Amino acid sequence: MPLVTEGTMLRSALMNVMTATAIKAGRGLKRDLGEIENLQVSLKGPGDFVSAADRRSEKIIFEELSKARPGYGFVLEEAGTVEGSDKTHRWYVDPLDGTTNFLHGIPQFAVSIALEREGQLVAGVVYNPATDEMYVAEKGQGAYLNNRRLRVAARRDFADALIACGVPLLGKPEEHARFQRELALMMTKAGNVRRMGAAALDLAFVASGRFDGFWERGLSPWDMAAGMVLVREAGGFVTDADGGDRVLTEGTICVGNEIMHRELIKTLRMA
Ligand code: IPD
Ligand code: CA
Ligand code: CA
């Protein structure tokens, strides 16, 4: 259990395991980012190289967490679900969130690791190795960015709000019309909108007050699990895009402080 003292925190054993794992995986990704800049200009492009970097990161995370907490299960983006002998604990792992950014040499990507205990998300770590920003949260213990305590933004006026979102991919044409309606309406109500391209960091940015809110559809549990703990522990509201509690099963998310969250849900309903 972490000891909290005036905005800094002594990390628990669990947090040490999670952060050390994220740093180890992140070190490889940071090294690979340098290589991408070379591949970017080659005819072949960095596609295969990025897939390999992604798999390498996941392998490191799987090995480190398996060693530190034998028996825990896994929901891994690349390798899928791994049943553990311990049925009460399960990791959610996105070894590289923000792949498209990474592929283009844009330093907005992260390693995302969350722990679920008896069906509840209890800890989350989101680490961007390019900026060395480590976001951590443990249920009931607050959220931190590199040891600084986090709080969601206190903004009350939606017309001043900076709202993040996700744009559905080319391969999801059925989602395009709805997103266009939502964005069109959002532009008339929120201060401004951003699409940064890494959902785990979008959530971390809401936890740290950089963004006032965030919504996205079509996400997977590993995109959201760690960031959900961050936002909740920073005092934010976390629901699915209908205002319900089926975030992980529906794959939609809407977060912000109480007022921003309410305005977001209202706007999404009207769209
Ligand atoms: C993606 C990112 C992106 C979101 C996509 C996700 P990936 O994850 O989080 O922001 O819009 O829907 O799939 O593929 O980079 O791990
Ligand atoms: Ca992802
Ligand atoms: Ca990924």
Side-chain angles (χ1 to χ4, degrees):
M1 187 153 294
L3 303 170
V4 179
T5 51
E6 293 196 46
T8 61
M9 113 190 214
L10 299 177
R11 290 194 181 135
S12 67
L14 173 64
M15 273 296 131
N16 283 336
V17 164
M18 292 173 74
T19 55
T21 300
I23 288 169
K24 190 160 181 192
R27 202 176 292 140
L29 292 177
K30 192 174 175 184
R31 204 179 317 117
D32 295 336
L33 184 69
E35 185 59 25
I36 282 166
E37 278 150 17
N38 300 329
L39 291 167
Q40 204 67 261
V41 290
S42 79
L43 211 53
K44 192 165 158 269
D48 291 346
F49 180 80
V50 169
S51 314
D54 205 329
R55 283 196 304 273
R56 261 198 306 274
S57 172
E58 187 168 279
K59 185 163 180 282
I60 292 171
I61 298 168
F62 179 71
E63 285 173 358
E64 290 296 310
L65 295 180
S66 301
K67 224 186 306 161
R69 294 291 185 274
Y72 284 18
F74 284 86
V75 180
L76 301 157
E77 181 180 10
E78 304 303 324
T81 300
V82 179
E83 288 297 328
S85 53
D86 175 344
K87 303 295 177 202
T88 60
H89 289 93
R90 188 151 74 148
W91 302 106
Y92 288 96
V93 176
D94 192 335
L96 168 56
D97 184 53
T99 321
T100 306
N101 286 342
F102 187 75
L103 182 70
H104 288 258
I106 299 169
Q108 180 76 0
F109 58 86
V111 173
S112 176
I113 304 171
L115 179 64
E116 187 181 71
R117 179 178 296 139
E118 283 163 353
Q120 277 205 343
L121 294 172
V122 293
V125 161
V126 174
Y127 177 56
N128 180 349
T131 58
D132 203 25
E133 288 191 323
M134 173 71 77
Y135 295 86
V136 306
E138 211 173 337
K139 192 166 187 278
Q141 303 297 329
Y144 292 81
L145 164 56
N146 297 346
N147 288 329
R148 184 168 58 81
R149 181 96 191 225
L150 298 180
R151 189 78 206 152
V152 292
R155 202 173 308 287
R156 306 178 66 83
D157 192 346
F158 202 53
D160 292 331
L162 186 59
I163 302 298
C165 68
V167 180
L169 303 174
L170 178 64
K172 292 188 177 172
E174 67 289 353
E175 278 293 321
H176 292 187
R178 174 163 48 188
F179 176 72
Q180 282 172 356
R181 288 198 307 276
E182 289 177 347
L183 181 62
L185 195 60
M186 208 60 78
M187 283 189 288
T188 69
K189 297 192 178 300
N192 212 326
V193 179
R194 292 283 182 276
R195 187 332 181 220
M196 302 290 274
L201 284 172
D202 290 329
L203 290 164
F205 280 22
V206 172
S208 64
R210 288 177 178 168
F211 287 143
D212 297 298
F214 167 63
W215 95 96
E216 186 163 354
R217 298 175 187 273
L219 291 174
S220 299
W222 48 81
D223 298 313
M224 303 181 284
M228 288 167 72
V229 186
L230 290 170
V231 174
R232 283 188 188 132
E233 287 301 314
F237 280 53
V238 178
T239 67
D240 58 44
D242 298 314
D245 59 8
R246 290 184 298 184
V247 178
L248 294 182
T249 50
E250 297 283 306
T252 71
I253 194 159
C254 178
V255 303
N257 73 22
E258 186 175 7
I259 298 169
M260 297 296 121
H261 177 265
R262 193 197 309 131
E263 291 302 317
L264 272 170
I265 292 290
K266 205 162 77 186
T267 308
L268 295 177
R269 271 196 195 129
M270 281 163 62

